[in-house]
Amino acid sequence: MIVIVDYGMGNLRSVYNKLKRIECDAKISSDPEVISKAEKIILPGVGHFKNAMEKIKEYGLFELLNQKVLKDKIPVLGICLGVQLFTKKSEEGDVEGLGWIDAETVRFSIPEHQKIRLKVPSVGWNSVSLVKTDSLLFKGIDPQELFYFVHSYHLKSTNSSIVLGTSNYSYEFISCIEKDNIFGTQFHPEKSQDQGMQLFKNFVKM
């Protein structure tokens, strides 16, 4: 069973609907008892980093998520804000995250001469350049495919081992990560048509 974690900050239903289309046994829940039985976890998210971390702690999920991901080693997929929560801290609210990966969440810093053309948030389709071409998460996905992004913040890290792929918006940024059982995408696979569907299928099969 896959549990889509409801911490009050996500486009949960669209992720759920995608999983049901591939006939996946999925539930949306904030109930610690349900999450404790999950075989895989998805942490989606749209919203503010600080508020999200406060909700995770308020709902009693902080230690449970650490147990499931870091100790039980079940696969976890973070989407947009969800993957940002994996980082050590964020400029959005200046708070600590879950700390699962060696990275920080920072706001886009667009040079003045590009601000007319490149707005923040970045909204629209963008490509992903894979660093790890053998990743199971991207199996069967054409490298020329585009994915849908909506974000003002992105991951920043000097630890290249966690970087699965990068994208470009004024400059190169980390758009997907992979570390053991931990996966994340800055883009929204649930809004990325067939290639997003394939990514979900790949995660389900892990």
Side-chain angles (χ1 to χ4, degrees):
M1 178 185 65
I2 291 182
V3 174
I4 303 164
V5 179
D6 179 5
Y7 57 100
M9 303 287 293
N11 51 333
L12 308 174
R13 185 58 56 177
S14 57
V15 174
Y16 176 81
N17 288 339
K18 283 287 188 180
L19 292 175
K20 297 310 288 183
R21 283 183 62 187
I22 60 175
E23 300 181 343
C24 172
D25 180 17
K27 291 183 179 180
I28 297 173
S29 184
S30 59
D31 185 344
E33 185 174 346
V34 173
I35 296 171
S36 69
K37 297 175 182 176
E39 296 170 336
K40 297 182 179 69
I41 288 174
I42 295 180
L43 208 66
V46 175
H48 194 277
F49 190 106
K50 182 179 180 180
N51 293 344
M53 286 303 303
E54 288 175 349
K55 288 292 184 182
I56 286 173
K57 293 176 181 178
E58 178 186 331
Y59 292 0
L61 301 179
F62 185 81
E63 293 300 333
L64 175 58
L65 290 172
N66 282 331
Q67 172 69 40
K68 296 293 288 182
V69 174
L70 301 182
K71 296 182 181 179
D72 297 347
K73 298 289 186 181
I74 70 165
V76 60
L77 174 65
I79 298 172
C80 197
L81 175 60
V83 72
Q84 293 174 5
L85 295 174
F86 293 179
T87 65
K88 292 181 176 180
K89 63 179 181 179
S90 175
E91 291 181 347
E92 187 177 31
D94 190 27
V95 294
E96 293 182 355
L98 293 165
W100 294 345
I101 59 173
D102 184 14
E104 298 180 1
T105 299
V106 299
R107 185 174 172 84
F108 271 116
S109 180
I110 307 296
E112 285 295 329
H113 69 279
Q114 292 185 327
K115 285 185 176 180
I116 295 177
R117 183 173 59 88
L118 299 177
K119 303 296 183 181
V120 176
S122 165
V123 179
W125 298 88
N126 203 346
S127 60
V128 173
S129 298
L130 289 181
V131 176
K132 300 177 182 178
T133 56
D134 60 346
S135 172
L136 294 178
L137 192 64
F138 276 80
K139 185 177 181 180
I141 298 175
D142 190 318
Q144 304 304 315
E145 292 286 7
L146 301 178
F147 295 87
Y148 192 77
F149 290 76
V150 183
H151 61 126
S152 299
Y153 293 78
H154 62 83
L155 272 57
K156 180 179 179 181
S157 178
T158 58
N159 184 351
S160 61
S161 69
I162 69 168
V163 181
L164 173 53
T166 63
S167 297
N168 194 289
Y169 193 74
S170 177
Y171 51 84
E172 188 177 68
F173 66 92
I174 300 168
S175 55
C176 43
I177 63 98
E178 176 179 330
K179 178 190 174 186
D180 301 324
N181 58 309
I182 301 171
F183 301 85
T185 65
Q186 185 59 67
F187 56 83
H188 289 270
E190 75 279 10
K191 297 181 180 180
S192 297
Q193 301 179 345
D194 290 346
Q195 56 272 30
M197 187 78 76
Q198 183 61 48
L199 188 143
F200 279 129
K201 287 180 180 178
N202 291 341
F203 180 70
V204 168
K205 290 178 182 178
M206 288 180 183

